[in-house]
């Protein structure tokens, strides 16, 4: 699965890593629903860091269609809320 981290580039993430990413996505959604800025910031950073850790960066010249687009680390709660679909940022 190709994931674009806004402002950082694309990474190839194995399908086997999606369950852990979905768990982090659920934490992010919970933080947004509660309006807890501190919890939101921690959940967003944990999700992005996990993608960076498990993902394999694609060379910039190998632009591929992205399966997922994740917000930058400095995104606001409102910006991330606008990006959420019915299944969060990461579909099941």
């Amino acid at each position: 699965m190709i994931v674009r981290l806004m402002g950082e580039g694309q990474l190839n993430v194995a399908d086997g890593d999606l369950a852990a990413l979905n768990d982090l996505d659920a934490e992010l959604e919970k933080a947004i629903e509660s309006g807890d800025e501190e919890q939101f910031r921690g959940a967003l950073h944990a999700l992005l860091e996990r993608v960076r850790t498990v993902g394999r960066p694609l060379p910039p010249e190998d632009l591929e269609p992205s399966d997922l687009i994740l917000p930058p680390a400095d995104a606001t709660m409102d910006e991330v809320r606008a990006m959420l679909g019915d299944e969060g940022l990461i579909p099941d």
Side-chain angles (χ1 to χ4, degrees):
M1 169 175 291
I2 305 298
V3 179
R4 173 171 295 284
L5 296 179
M6 292 174 66
E8 296 184 41
Q10 292 181 302
L11 297 103
N12 190 349
V13 175
D15 290 341
D17 292 312
L18 290 180
L21 295 179
N22 274 316
D23 290 343
L24 293 168
D25 186 34
E27 292 292 321
L28 181 63
E29 285 183 81
K30 187 186 314 180
I32 290 172
E33 288 171 9
S34 72
D36 184 325
E37 180 68 32
E38 186 175 328
Q39 183 183 8
F40 162 75
R41 191 67 42 210
L44 177 59
H45 285 213
L47 174 61
L48 296 176
E49 187 56 36
R50 181 67 179 204
V51 170
R52 290 182 195 111
T53 300
V54 301
R56 192 183 86 247
L58 295 179
E61 63 273 7
D62 290 349
L63 186 61
E64 298 283 333
S66 298
D67 299 302
L68 298 173
I69 299 175
L70 297 179
D74 63 351
T76 66
M77 195 179 307
D78 286 338
E79 289 170 333
V80 176
R81 184 180 289 118
M83 293 179 72
L84 290 175
D86 292 339
E87 298 182 358
L89 291 172
I90 302 173
D92 294 330

